Amino acid sequence: MRWLFYLLTLVLVSLLGVLGYFQYQRWTHPYHEMQVNKLAPTLARTLIDYQPHLALVSRPEETYPFPIPLGQVGPAETLYAGQSQYPFFCMTQLAGLGQPVVDNHKGHGVPVYEERGGVQGSRILGYSRDCGLPSQLNYYFVDIRGKVRRYDSQFPPPPEAVATTEIEGQRVPEIYRVESGTINRYIYHLAMLATPDLARTDAPWWNRKLIYQFHGGSGIGFRQGRVKPFRLVSKRRDQLRSGYAVITSSGNKTSYTYNMIRAEDTARRVKRQFTSLYGEPRYTIGIGGSGGGLAQYLMAQNRAQVFDGALALYAYPDMVTQTLYGLDCDLLNTYYAFRANKNHRWQDFDNRVSLEGMNAKAGFDHKAPFLEPLNQLLHGRWPRWPKGSSECINGWFGLAALIHNPHQGYIRPMFSEQVQIQGHWSYWEDLVQIYGRDPQGYARSAWGNMGVQYGLRSLVSGEITPAEFLHLNRYIGSWRPPHRMEAESIWLPLGHKLPLWLSLWGNHNITEGAPAARRQPDPLAVERAYRSGQVFVGSNPLPVIDLRHYLEPELDMHHLSASFEARARILAWEGHSRNQLIWVSHQDYTPLAEAFEAMEAWLEARARGDSRPESLNDLCFDEKGEVIYGGEDAWNGPWNGRAAGVCSQHYPHFSNSRVQAGGPWQGSVFQCQLIPVAEAIHQGQYGERDMSPYLGNLETIFPSGVCDLSAVDALRPSDLTPQMGF
């Protein structure tokens, strides 16, 4: 069957040679045209002078007179997060809240159409550049089957069709009031138990406890985002029905921005909207997964004063340091598929763990396995069908194209072709007001791999030979500078359902040669990332429960080692980890109710001036929710150089490519200190291996030197220490 595939592929390649490749650079038929008078913000410091670190900077006094009146649009400009980003795609309709308001007639933004009787017509009334949505109240109820539905005041459901909940001994109908609008151009929601007959500010069943909901995802900015009200109610129903109020914003969903200053500015204002209506809560608990987890680590460190305790689910310490190994994935995949020797061991996925660090499995279902042999044929190599997969493929596929390549853009059509061509689309560009621009006009990047000896630990342990180590590091290369990158080549013979990537792993954007050149991060970008609070340095002033399912067998990107990466930084900064608990559960059980109960007890203790309750410890749970083990030694393991604890034995963790290259487990090394190869040999970096015979080869591969494994990040500001007094 596969030989038939190869034959058909050869025919396809011949046809492509005649017709020419379809160079997929961007969607050319967007469903919304958008013209703007400024395609990207000019470089400007945010209004906060975040020297020497954001945590030490006082935020300015609020200037907007909260609360936002119903029927009016909230503030569009941020209080202290810098200039508004353009283009900015409006998504109020996609959130089920109607069209944004018209704010110009110059064709800037998305068109706003005439409506009659609730039906949208074809006549354009004007355009919305800032995506304003008048503040409004909507109601949702839970039916007796437990499904969340829209509450229609004109045709209300019969009382017997509405579920009830008990509040202080009283049965209360499960009807929720959700206020929605825009703040800082992002959509906000305030949700609580309340029936339509109550006034806007009436909150008879609120228990004076507040939840701030954060959300995850990978995104590159330039869009408003959406959080649908009924999904918010569904997600947090257990807490809402017990009397909690829940607030959120699409500006706190990392699918739409990783700019933590903008996210913080927005979260503070959303909370101000809530407190201006209902008063201060007893305490606020943050919750959110993945990017929503790392946002809590960073906001707590940066002293954002949005929440008092955090439930960080599937969390990473931050985004920018995760790009270091995340962007290594496609370098390694390109090496395996196109540069490694024929029939090499790397075709066995079980062996890839030694280089990638993250899990890989022979026999695991591969994402789009036909793409690899297709691309190998295009490169003139004998094709091989992949017989497994890895976290790099299963979890991080496409990351380089989405967040690192400024010429790629979104998969979904949003902007006109003119805007797409002229704009830059990357994680770095989303944060250009923090990172700055390089001389070519592109956002500065904090990623680099100069001096990184991929697979060093495996060489030392004997898993790979010196010849394999040298070949890998000679040919793996690095990402090209942003101004030299090109969009992915994707052919769409069957439409968007089955895109054929003709530049798999972004291989056309990776340096070539023997040796293939490496790249250094931009020093200014790294310094600004540190000082602006985009990097989690380990300052941990608030209670955090780092909670996740054990997903290593699934090759899920939310790997367990991220929890230990955060803890290693906390220990290095604080000298202890009293404010962080790590809880891990079998994926068939979610101990979220236990986490809320624990966090409430923890916050009540802090309110009394007490330390963390002694009953709260690091834990691991089985599939039935039973505690396997709890204690300070539960998670000992390779990350702290100790014998594996009970939880680590039950749920073993992996590492990443930078750890496998000899780097520290805390993972925050943008650019290592470089030393000559001879010095590395003298230090004993290669263990029992005598690499002296290979000195010339190593010096050719690493002309600037290799990483000094005993040193810290060379680009970390020297004054950024615990003595700064966070």
Side-chain angles (χ1 to χ4, degrees), residues 41 43-45 50 320 323 327 403-406 424-448 480-483 485 519-529 532 534 670 715:
L43 174 60
R45 293 295 294 267
Y50 43 74
V320 63
T323 67
L327 290 174
I403 72 164
H404 190 61
N405 186 346
H424 297 166
W425 314 95
S426 70
Y427 161 82
W428 314 107
E429 184 69 25
D430 183 34
L431 280 75
V432 70
Q433 294 191 58
I434 292 175
Y435 294 141
R437 293 199 184 281
D438 65 19
Q440 289 76 33
Y442 287 80
R444 298 178 185 272
S445 166
W447 186 88
R480 291 178 177 175
H483 68 280
M485 297 187 82
R519 176 183 171 188
Q520 285 186 315
D522 188 298
L524 185 57
V526 174
E527 179 182 3
R528 290 182 172 181
S532 65
Q534 288 288 140
F670 291 94
L715 298 180

Side-chain angles (χ1 to χ4, degrees), residues 196-407:
D197 58 301
L198 296 172
R200 180 194 191 190
T201 56
D202 287 346
W205 302 301
W206 180 36
N207 63 11
R208 313 304 297 180
K209 302 173 188 177
L210 183 62
I211 292 172
Y212 202 105
Q213 177 72 57
F214 295 88
H215 311 266
S218 295
I220 56 175
F222 304 100
R223 54 181 179 163
Q224 181 181 42
R226 60 175 179 173
V227 178
K228 292 186 175 181
F230 80 90
R231 288 187 178 174
L232 177 66
V233 172
S234 299
K235 182 188 289 283
R236 294 274 71 86
R237 182 194 169 196
D238 285 346
Q239 292 75 47
L240 284 165
R241 69 196 307 266
S242 69
Y244 270 98
V246 181
I247 63 178
T248 193
S249 167
S250 61
N252 297 114
K253 187 171 184 175
T254 52
S255 291
Y256 309 124
T257 184
Y258 272 98
N259 184 325
M260 286 299 115
I261 299 181
R262 190 186 306 148
E264 174 197 301
D265 187 313
T266 302
R268 285 167 60 96
R269 285 184 140 182
V270 171
K271 188 172 180 180
R272 175 65 69 91
Q273 172 71 1
F274 180 87
T275 58
S276 67
L277 292 168
Y278 305 108
E280 293 289 337
R282 289 173 58 190
Y283 49 74
T284 303
I285 297 176
I287 188 172
S290 191
L294 71 83
Q296 294 175 80
Y297 270 118
L298 290 174
M299 285 195 184
Q301 167 189 271
N302 298 341
R303 276 54 177 182
Q305 298 181 337
V306 173
F307 49 83
D308 303 290
L311 299 181
L313 317 179
Y314 308 107
Y316 306 100
D318 58 58
M319 171 61 175
V320 63
T321 59
Q322 305 314 295
T323 67
L324 295 174
Y325 65 82
L327 290 174
D328 283 347
C329 276
D330 282 351
L331 298 182
L332 288 162
N333 287 328
T334 291
Y335 175 78
Y336 303 138
F338 309 119
R339 301 183 181 184
N341 292 325
K342 188 176 181 180
N343 295 323
H344 199 271
R345 70 162 72 192
W346 307 126
Q347 305 313 311
D348 183 339
F349 277 81
D350 288 339
N351 292 328
R352 297 190 182 187
V353 179
S354 63
L355 302 185
E356 296 175 14
M358 298 181 290
N359 198 12
K361 281 186 180 181
F364 195 95
D365 287 342
H366 188 291
K367 279 190 173 181
F370 62 89
L371 290 175
E372 189 163 320
L374 169 63
N375 277 267
Q376 287 170 330
L377 280 170
L378 293 174
H379 281 73
R381 291 176 65 96
W382 188 251
R384 301 185 188 90
W385 195 274
K387 298 179 179 179
S389 192
S390 65
E391 185 185 323
C392 267
I393 295 170
N394 197 58
W396 298 83
F397 177 79
L399 182 78
L402 173 66
I403 72 164
H404 190 61
N405 186 346
H407 300 292

